[in-house]
């Protein structure tokens, strides 16, 4: 599997994903909203918004192992 990098993160911008972190935890159902450089260009950050929330949160890119694309049709009510 490919290492999660800046280029692979760009392909997920604007999409809902599960973020799998290197420590084994998972941040579920977030929308990636942007990528930015940290102070002095030392570290890149991934900005995301949890589903149903308006607050933008950020996470260092180096702590993300991979991202899995979600199928939003699973979350729509049957009707």
């Amino acid at each position: 599997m490919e290492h999660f990098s800046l280029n692979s993160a760009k392909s997920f911008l604007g999409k809902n994903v599960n973020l799998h972190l290197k420590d084994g935890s998972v941040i579920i159902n977030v929308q990636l909203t942007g990528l930015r450089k940290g102070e002095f260009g030392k570290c890149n950050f991934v900005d995301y918004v949890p589903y149903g929330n308006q607050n933008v949160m950020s996470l260092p890119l180096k702590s993300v192992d991979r991202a899995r694309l979600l199928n939003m049709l699973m979350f729509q009510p049957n009707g």
Side-chain angles (χ1 to χ4, degrees):
M1 180 176 285
E2 180 185 325
H3 174 69
F4 194 73
S5 65
L6 192 60
N7 288 333
S8 58
K10 286 179 184 178
S11 67
F12 290 109
L13 284 178
K15 298 179 180 167
N16 287 56
V17 296
N18 286 342
L19 291 175
H20 296 260
L21 305 181
K22 289 184 179 177
D23 66 358
S25 60
V26 180
I27 303 173
I28 60 170
N29 200 4
V30 297
Q31 184 178 32
L32 296 185
T33 57
L35 300 168
R36 62 183 171 87
K37 288 191 181 230
E39 292 181 22
F40 309 113
K42 295 268 184 185
C43 183
N44 292 322
F45 289 91
V46 177
D47 294 333
Y48 64 93
V49 176
Y51 182 76
N53 198 341
Q54 299 295 324
N55 300 332
V56 176
M57 301 175 148
S58 62
L59 184 68
L61 183 66
K62 65 182 179 182
S63 67
V64 180
D65 186 37
R66 66 181 189 263
R68 290 268 172 118
L69 194 60
L70 289 177
N71 182 0
M72 291 307 290
L73 294 176
M74 293 177 14
F75 297 103
Q76 293 180 352
N78 295 336

